[in-house]
Amino acid sequence: MPRRFRSLLLLLLLAVAQTGAAHGPGDDEAPETNVLRGRGPRWLNRLLTESAVLRQHHVGMSLTDVATGEKLYELNADRYFTPASTMKLFSLYAALKLLPPDSLPALRYVVRGDSLIFWGTGDPTLLHGDVPSRRALDFLRTRPQQLFYTDIPCVPAFGPGWGWDDYNYYYQPERGAFPVYGHTVRFYATAGQALPRVHPRFFKDATRPVPAGTPNPAQDHVRRPLLENQFWVYPSPKNWVDETPFRTSPALLRQLLQDTLRRPVGQVPFRVRPQDSVRTLRGLPVDSLYRRMLRVSDNFLAEQVLLLCSSQLGLDSLDTGRVIRLMQRQHLQGLPDAPQWADGSGLSRLNLVTPRTLTALLLRLHQEVPEPRLLDLLAAGGRQGSLRRRYRDPAGPWLWGKTGTLTNNHNLCGYLRTRSGRLLAFTFMNNNLPGDDTAVRNEMERILGEVRRRL
C-alpha cells in the first residue's frame, strides 16, 4: 500500500476515534442540533432517530417545560402531521372560550300563546348512553303548552374528510342539532339467543337476524344498510354489547320524542320573530361532557361540542365552520403554525397540525385552566380512558394525555411528570406507519419513560 494511502487511512481512523469519544457516555446530555432535524439532548435524539421501530414512518416530537416555557426537545416539530383525535384539544379550547363556564345549554324555546316551540343547541346528552341527561325530557314532559319542534339549520350529518364507509360503526354517528340517544342504537346480545336486547326499544322491530350463510368479512356484530334504519344481526357464540348509529331526520326525532314523552310533538318551520323572547334551558355541568369527550376520545361528543359553541354565536344556525373561523381569528393567534382545522373530532383527514403547535396549545390550556381540573379531564396512564393500560405506576399517574389514532397514524400529546418533579408538555406524533401500531405504542412508552427518568 503506497505511503500516502496509509497516511490517509491513519488520519481517517483517528477522526473516527475522536468522533466516538465526543459522543461517549460522558457527553450524552450535551445538546445536539440538526441531526435528522432533532434539537435537544443527544440521548433523546438517539432514542428517536436510531429506533428501528420508528425508522420507516414520519415521526415528530415537541417537549417543553410547563413552568419555564423552555423548549427541551424538538424533532420535525415544524412539520405538519395528521393529528387524528388530538384535535379534540382544539374543541375543548373552543368550548372553554365560548360556552358558559358552568352548565351546557340544553335547548332553546319560545312560548307563543298555548304553544311551546323548541329547537336544539347541539347538546348531545339527552338520553345519551354514557353521559345521560333527562333535564330537557323532564322540561318538555311537564310543560302545559302544546309542543312543537323546529329544525334549526345545521351542518351535514357527516363532516368533511370523513370515511364514508365508517357510517356503520359506533365511533362515527351523525351530527345534529337535537341529538337523542347519542344517535346510536345499543344492542345487548346473549349467546344462544337469535336477537339481542335493543335500546331504545323503538328500533326493536327494525332488528332482524341475517339470513343463514350471510358472509361477515368485517366480523361485524350488526350491519345497517347505508340509507336505511334496518339492523341486521350476525350470530355469535359469545355475549356482546355494541352500538350502531341510526340515520337521523326531523321526522324520526319527533317519533322518538313522542315515544319517550308519551305526548304529541308537532313541527313548524324554523323562524325566530323579533318579538319572541328566546329562552335557554340549562343542562349538565360542562365538565361531565368534556371529561367523557377527552378520556375515551368520543368523536360524537366532540362534534357536538363545536355545535354547542356555534349555538352561542347566533340564533340562525349551527355551523362548526363559523366556530373554527372565529377561534382562528380571535383565540389561536400566536401559535407557532396555524392549524388546518376541519372538524371537532379529528375524524377528518383534512386536519393538519404541527407538533410544536399542539404543545403550545397544551401550554395555553395549563395557563388558563387550574391544573387539577385540567389533568382530571384527560386520560391518565394506568388509571382511566384510552391510557388505562399503559404508562402504569402503582404510586399513581405520571402521564395525562390525549391519544389520536386513525389507520396508519398514532399520536399522543399531554403532560408528563418527571421523577424530578417537573411537569412537561409533550407531543409525540407518528404518521404513515405501516400495519399494526402496537410496536409503535410500545416504543413511545419506552421513550417517554426515559424522558420521565432523565429530565
Side-chain angles (χ1 to χ4, degrees), residues 135-421:
R135 296 190 184 184
L137 201 67
D138 293 340
F139 171 80
L140 294 174
R141 179 173 285 155
T142 58
R143 295 294 298 200
Q145 298 90 357
Q146 297 180 65
L147 300 182
F148 292 90
Y149 172 71
T150 185
D151 195 32
I152 185 172
C154 189
V155 293
F158 295 130
W162 289 11
W164 73 267
D165 52 344
D166 286 338
Y167 75 90
N168 189 70
Y169 299 110
Y170 73 93
Y171 53 81
Q172 193 169 291
E174 297 183 3
R175 305 181 294 183
F178 200 100
V180 60
Y181 297 106
H183 283 171
T184 61
V185 183
R186 191 167 289 193
F187 299 92
Y188 301 84
T190 302
Q193 293 187 358
L195 288 175
R197 182 163 58 89
V198 180
H199 181 76
R201 289 180 58 83
F202 179 88
F203 293 100
K204 184 175 183 291
D205 292 341
T207 304
R208 298 179 176 84
V210 298
T214 301
N216 188 13
Q219 297 300 303
D220 292 325
H221 291 135
V222 180
R223 193 76 197 174
R224 194 202 87 206
L226 177 62
L227 302 178
E228 302 174 26
N229 278 326
Q230 296 290 329
F231 302 90
W232 296 95
V233 180
Y234 289 91
S236 173
K238 299 179 180 179
N239 298 345
W240 53 264
V241 178
D242 210 343
E243 293 176 84
T244 300
F246 60 78
R247 277 186 61 81
T248 61
S249 70
L252 177 59
L253 172 61
R254 285 179 53 229
Q255 286 182 284
L256 289 170
L257 287 175
Q258 290 179 142
D259 186 67
T260 306
L261 294 170
R262 301 187 183 282
R263 61 180 295 186
V265 178
Q267 184 166 358
V268 295
F270 180 77
R271 181 187 174 197
V272 179
R273 300 171 180 173
Q275 65 270 31
D276 282 335
S277 176
V278 178
R279 303 175 186 178
T280 301
L281 175 71
R282 293 299 173 188
L284 294 183
V286 293
D287 280 5
S288 61
L289 179 59
Y290 303 159
R291 190 178 295 114
R292 178 74 187 180
M293 172 184 78
L294 295 172
R295 285 186 177 182
V296 302
S297 201
D298 192 300
N299 295 322
F300 175 66
L301 298 184
E303 292 298 332
Q304 297 300 133
V305 160
L306 284 196
L307 292 179
L308 278 163
C309 290
S310 180
S311 76
Q312 304 301 290
L313 302 181
L315 298 174
D316 59 329
S317 65
L318 299 181
D319 179 6
T320 55
R322 178 165 57 180
V323 175
I324 291 170
R325 289 189 297 272
L326 181 141
M327 288 297 298
Q328 289 177 322
R329 185 173 63 250
Q330 295 187 11
H331 300 291
L332 297 178
Q333 294 295 320
L335 292 177
D337 311 289
Q340 302 299 299
W341 186 0
D343 68 1
S345 61
L347 279 170
S348 177
R349 297 278 181 169
L350 302 179
N351 293 308
L352 289 172
V353 180
T354 66
R356 65 185 184 183
T357 287
L358 269 174
T359 300
L361 180 63
L362 289 165
L363 293 176
R364 286 196 186 186
L365 286 167
H366 190 270
Q367 291 165 1
E368 299 176 22
V369 181
E371 185 177 297
R373 178 192 179 196
L374 177 60
L375 298 185
D376 181 63
L377 294 177
L378 298 168
R383 292 300 176 91
Q384 81 244 345
S386 57
L387 297 175
R388 66 188 181 280
R389 294 191 178 94
R390 292 191 176 272
Y391 305 97
R392 294 175 175 173
D393 189 329
W398 57 275
L399 186 146
W400 302 262
K402 181 71 209 71
T403 54
T405 305
L406 289 170
T407 303
N408 306 120
N409 298 285
H410 180 69
N411 311 306
L412 175 63
C413 64
Y415 305 95
L416 182 158
R417 182 83 67 187
T418 69
R419 292 196 181 276
S420 65

